[in-house]
Amino acid sequence: MHAIEKILMKNSGKSNIHTGEIVNAKIDFAEINDLYLQTVYSFYEMGGQKVWDNERCAFVFDHYAPCPDIKSAENHKAMREFAIKNNLRFHFDTNCGVCHQVMPEAGVIYPGMIVVATDSHTTTHGAFGAMGTGCGATDMATILMTGELWFRVPEIIEVRLDGKTQKGVYPKDVILAVLGKIRADGAVYKAIDFTGSYVEGLNVAGRMTICNMAVEMGAKTAYMQPNSDVLEYVKKRAVRPYEVQYTDPGYKYAESYTFDVSGIEPELACPSSVENVHTLSSVVAEGEVKINQGYIGSCTGGRVEDIAEAAKILKGRHIPEYTRLVVIPASREVMLECMTRGYISDLMNAGATISTPGCGACLGAHEGILAPGEVCITSTNRNFPGRMGSTEALMYLASPATVAASMVYGKITDPREFLN
């Protein structure tokens, strides 16, 4: 059996399961972000009184934090009242950061668990050997009432990543290259298991970036067998005992893809689709691409390692006049660490705007949204029309290093130029 199947089997109390089977499984942790006040309404409409376990669910205020308008402020107010009424052990208010970053930091994510959140990028937590997936408000209300949810046991496909990347190529480039091959509909309701020597050597941040974007291929969940970095991270933080699940030798995947990461270059997902992936060099060869804004942050590109790479490139330089660079750390913990290491001051001296930890402009809500006709290069995970503001703006997805390099000249630029 695969580790994901073992997790579903354990939490559903079954002795065996098979692909396509519907199981009712216990949820180890549930998270609701501030887009989903409807969860509270549905909870009461269905007769809910108290949440099933006040230590296994939380609100995270990240999409509209701090509140940019009256409506979002009302939503936060109602959610706080629900959290207080239910005496939730975990509550992440506007001073905390993005849900997928703050939950691992708080120790509620660990190997062998099922975590469900009202956010499609919950696949991120496969980086920790957990089964993470998103759901809507009604399903989440059901979880809050019962602590359970139904799942169809997914087909599992292998994405094998072997080799060592060249200098200037990052996990974001690797997952973009994978996405360009498998496409946006290549893994619908399937689980993706990322394997191979490259994965085995990846740090926590890189693993989170790759698992995060599994959903952009339609995946229900993602998985990576925990390595020593993950186990050390979890051991320091986990709030309850956990058990690592291992895939049996010889497991037969529904499909398998193999990539030699040594041949991957800096990549771009060009407007306006995540699967419209091209090498940066090929895009530049077709002509200069001027940009109005660079954006570094989100649950894909806002960790310490991401900001460090940007600061390394921009230290002692300054972005061009009439351009802007917005940097939003993924969490309070990330921001404090970056301040301690001097990355924030280096970026501010280079002309960057630093904003509150959270989602910011990634969903087009505030803190850096785009006007019609503007071009942005961003370390976020989606570039659909209107994603970061105007439907007439254009977005290129790239690694944080590529974003920083592009801000040096105000045009899309290869980061390897600055890393020798």
Side-chain angles (χ1 to χ4, degrees):
M1 296 183 71
H2 191 275
I4 290 173
E5 295 171 334
K6 291 180 177 180
I7 292 170
L8 283 168
M9 186 175 71
K10 170 177 64 75
N11 281 37
S12 62
K14 289 180 168 286
S15 58
N16 192 30
I17 60 174
H18 58 82
T19 301
E21 180 180 357
I22 304 295
V23 299
N24 210 51
K26 295 185 182 300
I27 305 305
D28 294 297
F29 200 83
E31 180 267 321
I32 308 98
N33 67 41
D34 48 354
L35 286 174
Y36 282 85
L37 178 59
Q38 180 61 46
T39 299
V40 174
Y41 296 152
S42 296
F43 178 83
Y44 289 129
E45 287 166 2
M46 292 191 291
Q49 297 295 321
K50 288 279 189 178
V51 298
W52 99 100
D53 188 332
N54 69 336
E55 295 196 354
R56 291 180 180 271
C57 54
F59 288 110
V60 180
F61 297 166
D62 56 359
H63 285 64
Y64 294 99
C67 297
D69 52 43
I70 295 171
K71 179 60 178 173
S72 58
E74 291 173 342
N75 288 1
H76 283 194
K77 180 174 180 285
M79 288 175 161
R80 288 191 189 99
E81 290 170 351
F82 185 91
I84 292 167
K85 179 179 178 180
N86 286 276
N87 190 30
L88 300 188
R89 175 182 174 185
F90 298 99
H91 175 70
F92 303 94
D93 218 294
T94 58
N95 63 324
C96 293
V98 182
C99 58
H100 306 306
Q101 182 70 23
V102 301
M103 287 195 293
E105 289 175 353
V108 301
I109 305 298
Y110 45 85
M113 73 178 296
I114 296 178
V115 55
V116 181
T118 55
D119 191 288
S120 58
H121 291 105
T122 311
T123 57
T124 302
H125 306 296
F128 299 94
M131 177 181 167
T133 193
C135 76
T138 305
D139 281 342
M140 181 54 70
T142 301
I143 293 172
L144 294 185
M145 292 174 65
T146 68
E148 298 181 359
L149 189 64
W150 70 270
F151 298 91
R152 179 167 63 84
V153 180
E155 289 182 77
I156 301 170
I157 66 177
E158 178 188 33
V159 173
R160 185 169 191 85
L161 305 172
D162 283 319
K164 184 177 180 181
T165 53
Q166 59 182 286
K167 196 170 187 178
V169 174
Y170 300 87
K172 181 63 170 288
D173 298 301
V174 172
I175 191 58
L176 287 177
V178 171
L179 219 167
K181 171 79 178 292
I182 299 178
R183 315 297 285 179
D185 61 352
V188 173
Y189 212 100
K190 298 174 184 177
I192 298 179
D193 183 4
F194 293 100
T195 67
S197 60
Y198 175 73
V199 173
E200 291 165 7
L202 265 183
N203 62 14
V204 172
R207 287 170 158 247
M208 292 175 76
T209 294
I210 287 176
C211 286
N212 176 283
M213 293 194 69
V215 74
E216 306 307 335
M217 293 173 270
K220 179 69 175 176
T221 192
Y223 186 82
M224 288 179 175
Q225 191 65 52
N227 63 4
S228 58
D229 280 8
V230 168
L231 294 176
E232 182 180 353
Y233 182 100
V234 173
K235 185 178 180 180
K236 291 178 180 177
R237 301 170 185 255
V239 297
R240 53 180 54 91
Y242 57 88
E243 181 181 354
V244 182
Q245 300 294 331
Y246 293 93
T247 300
D248 294 339
Y251 178 81
K252 294 197 180 336
Y253 294 94
E255 302 171 61
S256 189
Y257 300 85
T258 300
F259 294 82
D260 178 1
V261 301
S262 65
I264 293 175
E265 300 181 41
E267 306 280 335
L268 295 171
C270 300
S272 292
S273 170
V274 291
E275 67 176 26
N276 186 21
V277 176
H278 302 273
T279 61
L280 187 153
S281 59
S282 68
V283 172
V284 171
E286 291 183 2
E288 184 176 272
V289 181
K290 292 186 177 180
I291 54 176
N292 304 101
Q293 175 171 294
Y295 190 91
I296 296 171
S298 89
C299 55
T300 318
R303 284 174 269 277
V304 173
E305 292 84 349
D306 302 317
I307 295 170
E309 289 300 313
K312 184 190 302 182
I313 290 170
L314 285 167
K315 184 176 182 179
R317 298 185 169 95
H318 201 282
I319 66 174
E321 190 176 17
Y322 302 118
T323 65
R324 68 260 186 197
L325 170 62
V326 178
V327 179
I328 301 186
S331 73
R332 176 180 178 272
E333 182 177 309
V334 169
M335 177 173 264
L336 287 171
E337 180 68 20
C338 289
M339 290 171 66
T340 299
R341 297 188 185 187
Y343 303 150
I344 297 298
S345 58
D346 288 340
L347 289 168
M348 291 184 72
N349 288 335
T353 299
I354 312 296
S355 290
T356 308
C359 299
C362 179
L363 72 156
H366 61 148
E367 295 182 324
I369 61 176
L370 302 172
E374 290 194 313
V375 177
C376 178
I377 186 165
T378 172
S379 71
T380 54
N381 45 36
R382 285 178 180 158
N383 61 347
F384 310 130
R387 175 68 182 180
M388 292 180 68
S390 171
T391 57
E392 297 173 39
L394 299 177
M395 289 149 282
Y396 291 81
L397 305 182
S399 73
T402 296
V403 175
S406 299
M407 291 309 303
V408 173
Y409 302 126
K411 62 182 181 181
I412 290 179
T413 302
D414 194 319
R416 292 174 293 187
E417 177 180 336
F418 303 95
L419 298 176
N420 295 323

